[in-house]
């Protein structure tokens, strides 16, 4: 199959142009057309010669995910179901707020981590998304919102001002494509978002957290959910491979020799599972000395789950205990739950290849070795 233009970042495009006897800056011109201005028709790329446009046409197709449905929640949140070339479907979510527009992007078809409280886990795992499929999500969301005349909130007149890699999948298990995508999101010739506005969320893939720091400056969120290994082993099976002490050590390294980094800790509030004052106190002890902000996420139910959301007063008490322990804590507002677009509710349509139901051991090495 022909190359997809969306699979090429700045370095790849530069290599292509140099190889074809062109100046390296052609790469930045193409990025600007495609990702900044949203132009994917070569005929409109007027600062490229006709011959060059012809050559581009011969080498690159533009293939984007196909929008199957787009639902809008009563609170303005939108969820798209996108079909990929192989027939699998993924979901992405746009969350508008007064001062920002956040796109929640998927990184894999399904997820291999099998967290017990997450609906994506129930879909099983199929494969990593390509760079084109990750960047295609941004392009489709940005340009469909613009086309509808969506109220642009950002200085750059864009609908998307923030990206969170919190959709389907474990972003750090798709390391190379995700790092390239983050590069394009933060590249001034492309989306040009600041590192503060681009967040990678991980269930705690320790070696990948270390590599991430050395490769790209980005905001980090850790899906922690439990203050002890026993409980976390049950909720996040990846913890058996990378226990809390190792995750926390990687977090300390991530913020080391850098004043400005603060890690977001995600903590899903599960009724009578991880939501008692004792859990809150243990969490304070665990997070001592680490610059963090804790996000409490009221559990979002989905079919066939046995978990329930913690009661509001329990969440409030938990938050107050953390505050008194010196930890900045906010309760994440539930958005888009009427269209199943809230945290942990993204399901897509995944052809499961992990055959998880046939396996005894939930952790499978090959997906995040
Ligand atoms: N795999 C990555 C990216 C997914 S982010 C990670 O684990 O961080 C999605 C966030 O929503 C994670 O913090 C996840 O733990 C949380 N989540 C999953 N299921 C949920 C549910 N049912 N209710 C609330 N939050 C949930």
């Amino acid at each position: 199959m022909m190359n997809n233009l969306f699979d090429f970042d700045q370095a790849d495009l530069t290599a292509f142009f140099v190889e074809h006897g062109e100046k390296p800056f052609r790469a930045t011109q193409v990025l600007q057309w495609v990702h900044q201005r949203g132009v994917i028709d070569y005929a409109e790329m007027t600062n490229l010669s006709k011959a060059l446009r012809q050559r581009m046409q011969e080498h690159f197709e533009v293939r984007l995910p196909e929008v199957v449905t787009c639902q809008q929640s009563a609170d303005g949140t939108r969820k798209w179901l996108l079909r990929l070339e192989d027939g699998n479907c993924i979901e992405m979510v746009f969350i508008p707020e007064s001062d920002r527009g956040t796109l929640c992007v998927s990184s894999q078809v399904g997820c291999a981590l099998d967290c017990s409280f997450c609906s994506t886990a129930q879909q099983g795992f199929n494969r990593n998304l390509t760079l084109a499929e990750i960047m295609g999500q941004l392009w489709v969301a940005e340009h469909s919102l613009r086309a509808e005349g969506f109220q642009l909130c950002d200085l750059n007149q864009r609908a998307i001002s923030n990206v969170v890699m919190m959709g389907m999948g474990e972003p750090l298990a798709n390391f190379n494509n995700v790092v390239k995508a983050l590069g394009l999101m933060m590249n001034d010739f492309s989306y040009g978002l600041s590192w503060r506005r681009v967040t990678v969320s991980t269930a705690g893939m320790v070696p990948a957290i270390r590599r991430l720091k050395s490769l790209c400056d980005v905001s980090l969120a850790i899906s922690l959910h439990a203050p002890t290994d026993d409980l976390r082993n049950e909720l996040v099976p990846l913890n058996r491979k990378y226990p809390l002490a190792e995750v926390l050590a990687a977090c300390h390294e991530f913020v080391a020799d850098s004043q400005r980094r603060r890690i977001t800790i995600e903590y899903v509030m599960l009724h009578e599972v991880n939501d008692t004052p004792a859990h809150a106190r243990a969490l304070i002890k665990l997070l001592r000395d680490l610059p963090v902000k804790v996000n409490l996420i009221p559990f979002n139910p989905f079919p066939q789950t046995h978990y329930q959301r913690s009661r509001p007063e329990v969440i409030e008490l938990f938050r107050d205990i953390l505050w008194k322990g010196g930890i900045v804590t906010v309760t994440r507002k539930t958005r888009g739950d009427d269209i199943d677009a809230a945290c942990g509710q993204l399901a897509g349509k995944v052809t499961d290849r992990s055959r998880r139901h046939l396996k005894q051991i939930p952790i499978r090495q090959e997906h995040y070795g």
Side-chain angles (χ1 to χ4, degrees):
M1 202 187 285
M2 211 197 275
N3 287 326
N4 187 348
L5 187 57
F6 276 72
D7 261 324
F8 282 64
D9 70 359
Q10 185 172 348
D12 301 328
L13 284 171
T14 304
F16 168 83
F17 284 118
V18 169
E19 201 178 295
H20 286 80
E22 290 285 341
K23 293 276 190 294
F25 72 82
R26 296 292 177 205
T28 56
Q29 289 179 317
V30 170
L31 289 184
Q32 283 177 304
W33 282 115
V34 174
H35 297 292
Q36 219 170 61
R37 307 180 60 173
V39 170
I40 50 176
D41 180 352
Y42 295 118
E44 289 176 46
M45 300 185 186
T46 45
N47 56 4
L48 307 180
S49 71
K50 236 181 163 158
L52 186 52
R53 282 183 257 160
Q54 182 64 37
R55 189 170 298 164
M56 296 277 305
Q57 190 104 48
E58 284 160 14
H59 282 87
F60 299 106
E61 270 178 345
V62 171
R63 298 192 302 271
L64 288 161
E66 178 198 341
V67 176
V68 183
T69 56
C70 175
Q71 292 169 272
Q72 181 153 341
S73 156
D75 68 21
T77 301
R78 285 161 197 244
K79 180 174 81 169
W80 288 264
L81 182 67
L82 302 175
R83 187 181 292 119
L84 309 174
E85 288 173 84
D86 65 358
N88 279 303
C89 292
I90 53 166
E91 294 186 323
M92 71 174 173
V93 176
F94 180 71
I95 307 136
E97 288 170 273
S98 59
D99 60 342
R100 68 175 83 172
T102 304
L103 190 69
C104 179
V105 170
S106 290
S107 57
Q108 297 183 309
V109 180
C111 189
L113 296 190
D114 207 18
C115 298
S116 59
F117 53 88
C118 180
S119 106
T120 302
Q122 297 202 328
Q123 306 286 303
F125 176 77
N126 187 280
R127 64 176 175 84
N128 284 333
L129 295 185
T130 63
L131 177 61
E133 288 164 339
I134 299 171
M135 294 314 295
Q137 292 175 67
L138 271 83
W139 197 96
V140 167
E142 177 67 39
H143 298 291
S144 51
L145 289 163
R146 273 194 216 176
E148 293 170 30
F150 180 82
Q151 183 76 42
L152 304 169
C153 57
D154 154 79
L155 283 176
N156 300 320
Q157 291 296 291
R158 278 189 306 231
I160 300 168
S161 65
N162 295 59
V163 174
V164 292
M165 299 297 300
M166 295 187 187
M168 297 168 66
E170 166 54 46
L172 295 187
N174 183 9
F175 192 84
N176 293 339
N177 292 339
V178 165
V179 165
K180 277 190 168 190
L182 298 170
L184 277 174
M185 293 171 200
M186 296 188 283
N187 183 323
D188 283 338
F189 298 106
S190 174
Y191 285 85
L193 301 176
S194 121
W195 65 272
R196 289 166 202 281
R197 294 175 174 276
V198 179
T199 302
V200 175
S201 180
T202 177
M205 302 207 48
V206 167
I209 295 171
R210 298 216 169 94
R211 277 170 70 207
L212 181 68
K213 182 180 176 178
S214 69
L215 287 174
C216 94
D217 212 359
V218 72
S219 300
L220 183 68
I222 303 282
S223 292
L224 205 73
H225 308 314
T228 62
D229 280 321
D230 278 351
L231 181 55
R232 196 163 190 267
N233 286 343
E234 195 185 300
L235 301 177
V236 182
L238 182 66
N239 195 69
R240 294 174 208 160
K241 190 164 180 192
Y242 303 117
L244 277 171
E246 289 184 32
V247 174
L248 273 267
C251 289
H252 278 281
E253 282 173 36
F254 195 82
V255 294
D257 51 76
S258 154
Q259 289 300 307
R260 54 187 201 184
R261 289 178 197 263
R262 187 165 71 169
I263 291 176
T264 301
I265 300 291
E266 294 159 280
Y267 195 100
V268 63
M269 295 297 287
L270 303 166
H271 176 63
E272 287 180 350
V273 174
N274 64 353
D275 65 351
T276 68
H279 291 118
R281 287 192 295 269
L283 191 57
I284 294 169
K285 231 169 132 188
L286 194 67
L287 299 178
R288 184 159 296 154
D289 303 331
L290 189 66
V292 293
K293 173 182 159 193
V294 172
N295 258 334
L296 300 179
I297 315 175
F299 171 68
N300 294 305
F302 51 89
Q304 259 126 51
T305 179
H306 59 278
Y307 293 112
Q308 289 172 305
R309 180 181 292 186
S310 305
R311 292 201 310 274
E313 61 275 20
V314 169
I315 299 179
E316 221 166 285
L317 176 63
F318 198 95
R319 191 193 56 198
D320 290 346
I321 295 172
L322 292 184
W323 269 107
K324 287 196 187 108
I327 296 181
V328 176
T329 308
V330 296
T331 304
R332 191 179 283 174
K333 220 168 121 198
T334 299
R335 298 285 306 260
D337 53 341
D338 54 337
I339 53 168
D340 290 340
C343 301
Q345 293 186 315
L346 301 189
K349 199 166 147 272
V350 176
T351 307
D352 183 17
R353 301 202 310 175
S354 68
R355 292 151 49 117
R356 175 169 300 143
H357 57 288
L358 302 176
K359 298 265 168 184
Q360 289 296 327
I361 314 152
I363 295 186
R364 305 223 307 138
Q365 182 76 33
E366 63 268 33
H367 296 136
Y368 41 85

